[in-house]
Amino acid sequence: MGLIKIPSKAQAFFDTEYKKIFNSGMLAEADWNIKLADKISMITKSNGCVPVASNGAGLMCLLQLFGSIHNRKKIMLQSNTMYGMFTMSNSSGYEVLDYIPCNIETLMPSLSQVEEALASSKFEENELVIMLSHMGGIINPDIEEIAKLCKSKNIILLEDCAHSFGSTYNNKHSGLFGDAGVYSFYSTKAIPAGEGGAIVSNNTDILRYAERYTKYDRFERSMSIGNNIRLSELQALFIYSVVSEHNNIIKNKAQIAEKYIEVCANLGINYIKQETNGQQGNYYKFVIYHPDIEISDYLPKLETKTSGIYDYSLCGSDFIPKHHVCLPIWYDQDQDLMNNAIKELNDCFEEKNK
């Protein structure tokens, strides 16, 4: 994590405000949690936001709420996602019914793949949740049609938005296509603030239940589930400081991506586009792939890279892990890192052309 940098304006803002928290004596459940919720609601144009301790905490909160309030018992996950989606589902009392395959072109499931998975699975009406993850900084390009399908079948659609804060599809932010979504501000994410997450939704009932859950429902005392997954005021302030600079962070990373796009175009390398067909990505990752050749064979001299999305599959297939690679694209990263990656890509093709 030594490559992670925070914008100087975010640091300066935090420096001017954090002592006020100490002087106020309000270290939790105070103004900065409210301000952060309002800020994220404004950015995403959502009906509301509930700050939480992490993306995982927010997803488990929603899964438990859907189980308790809507009696949901079974869940389907996409095959290419973090292992934590599986563990959180089990920890929330769900039966993992099936894994939906993903495409190498997006690293996510298509509408037809969701339809096929549903057709081959057994579940009762009103008992299923589908949890889909937006990968690499863009939103699933079939999310609108998938959301319509889920609504028609009374399936709850939960969006894992850990990679996609600031990303839009047809001018709509991630997390607002299904029933709810959860962002991540973990240290390695597109908008990094160490830890923390945020639940967003346009369903005010979900938001109200989620807010009560994060405080054990200790004030109304009518829910049977709840936990302490709140943010401290200091962490809320820090996330607010970084989120306020999200456009500058994304712009900086987009400038790095322009250099990669140029070399990919020159060499005929496939990459996942983040600004096409209604997408406006946040450049969390810059993904190169080949649909037919394993990436280690296709680009044998590429050593300057970062972690893939992912290097395993929940359904056991190693196709996506072996057929893609991610180039380094951190905020304000050293130019040498980008130049090394570009040189190595060129070297791969010079070797082939000999």
Side-chain angles (χ1 to χ4, degrees):
M1 296 185 189
L3 297 173
I4 297 163
K5 298 178 182 178
I6 301 299
S8 57
K9 286 185 178 179
Q11 295 181 49
F13 184 82
F14 182 84
D15 285 344
T16 63
E17 297 294 330
Y18 79 92
K19 289 183 180 178
K20 297 177 185 178
I21 295 175
F22 294 147
N23 293 335
S24 73
M26 300 294 292
L27 302 182
E29 300 184 74
D31 290 348
W32 281 111
N33 271 271
I34 296 170
K35 289 178 181 178
L36 176 60
D38 290 344
K39 170 70 78 172
I40 293 174
S41 296
M42 180 190 69
I43 291 170
T44 60
K45 300 180 177 64
S46 63
N47 281 349
C49 166
V50 180
V52 288
S54 68
N55 166 265
L59 290 173
M60 285 191 66
C61 161
L62 292 170
L63 287 173
Q64 291 176 26
L65 286 171
F66 296 149
S68 176
I69 296 168
H70 300 293
N71 201 32
R72 302 294 162 135
K73 301 174 181 177
K74 297 182 179 181
I75 191 166
M76 296 176 72
L77 309 171
Q78 65 191 56
S79 60
N80 184 50
T81 190
M82 184 183 71
Y83 185 74
M85 299 301 124
F86 169 76
T87 59
M88 285 186 288
S89 298
N90 278 303
S91 298
S92 300
Y94 283 74
E95 175 191 348
V96 178
L97 194 61
D98 200 359
Y99 299 106
I100 307 168
C102 296
N103 295 309
I104 187 62
E105 293 83 2
T106 65
L107 310 183
M108 293 176 277
S110 66
L111 172 64
S112 62
Q113 287 171 316
V114 174
E115 289 174 329
E116 290 169 11
L118 288 172
S120 63
S121 299
K122 292 183 179 181
F123 56 91
E124 300 295 329
E125 186 177 359
N126 306 335
E127 72 172 356
L128 184 62
V129 173
I130 291 179
M131 181 159 60
L132 296 184
S133 303
H134 301 298
M135 294 280 97
I138 64 168
I139 295 171
N140 187 315
D142 281 0
I143 193 64
E144 291 178 331
E145 295 304 315
I146 293 171
K148 289 177 185 176
L149 173 67
C150 289
K151 189 172 183 180
S152 71
K153 295 181 176 295
N154 197 17
I155 296 168
I156 288 178
L157 176 58
L158 176 56
E159 297 174 62
D160 164 32
C161 307
H163 295 187
S164 57
F165 185 84
S167 302
T168 59
Y169 179 60
N170 291 337
N171 296 314
K172 190 173 183 178
H173 285 260
S174 64
L176 302 177
F177 294 90
D179 293 271
V182 188
Y183 298 120
S184 174
F185 303 109
Y186 179 65
S187 292
T188 60
K189 294 301 183 283
I191 310 300
E195 264 294 6
I199 296 170
V200 292
S201 179
N202 283 330
N203 185 315
T204 53
D205 287 338
I206 290 174
L207 292 167
R208 187 178 71 253
Y209 283 122
E211 184 173 9
R212 290 166 59 188
Y213 178 103
T214 65
K215 303 171 183 177
Y216 311 103
D217 193 36
R218 70 185 192 276
F219 297 115
E220 296 187 41
R221 298 183 295 280
S222 61
M223 289 168 52
S224 60
I225 58 171
N227 210 331
N228 173 12
I229 57 170
R230 304 186 303 267
L231 285 172
S232 70
E233 283 292 281
L234 280 171
Q235 189 61 31
L237 168 60
F238 185 40
I239 296 171
Y240 183 99
S241 304
V242 178
V243 162
S244 297
E245 295 298 315
H246 79 282
N247 283 328
N248 291 330
I249 294 172
I250 294 170
K251 182 179 179 181
N252 177 270
K253 296 177 79 175
Q255 291 169 347
I256 300 169
E258 286 178 6
K259 303 295 185 181
Y260 290 148
I261 290 169
E262 182 180 355
V263 71
C264 286
N266 290 338
L267 299 175
I269 298 173
N270 293 312
Y271 65 94
I272 295 180
K273 298 177 176 65
Q274 301 222 359
E275 296 183 17
T276 186
N277 298 324
Q279 295 278 5
Q280 182 59 61
N282 66 16
Y283 288 101
Y284 171 55
K285 296 278 190 176
F286 191 92
V287 182
I288 286 174
Y289 69 92
H290 199 291
D292 303 313
I293 305 172
E294 290 188 9
I295 211 74
S296 59
D297 295 328
Y298 181 54
L299 302 171
K301 291 184 177 293
L302 180 62
E303 297 181 357
T304 305
K305 53 194 173 184
T306 185
S307 57
I309 324 172
Y310 287 85
D311 59 1
Y312 54 84
S313 171
L314 296 188
C315 68
S317 169
D318 62 0
F319 180 81
I320 286 179
K322 288 187 175 181
H323 284 256
H324 85 282
V325 69
C326 299
L327 302 182
I329 187 165
W330 305 89
Y331 169 75
D332 197 27
Q333 74 180 20
D334 292 337
Q335 190 165 338
D336 286 348
L337 200 61
M338 177 188 70
N339 291 339
N340 288 342
I342 290 173
K343 181 183 182 302
E344 290 163 10
L345 289 173
N346 282 307
D347 289 347
C348 290
F349 283 81
E350 286 180 8
E351 184 73 22
K352 290 178 183 180
N353 294 329
K354 284 182 179 179

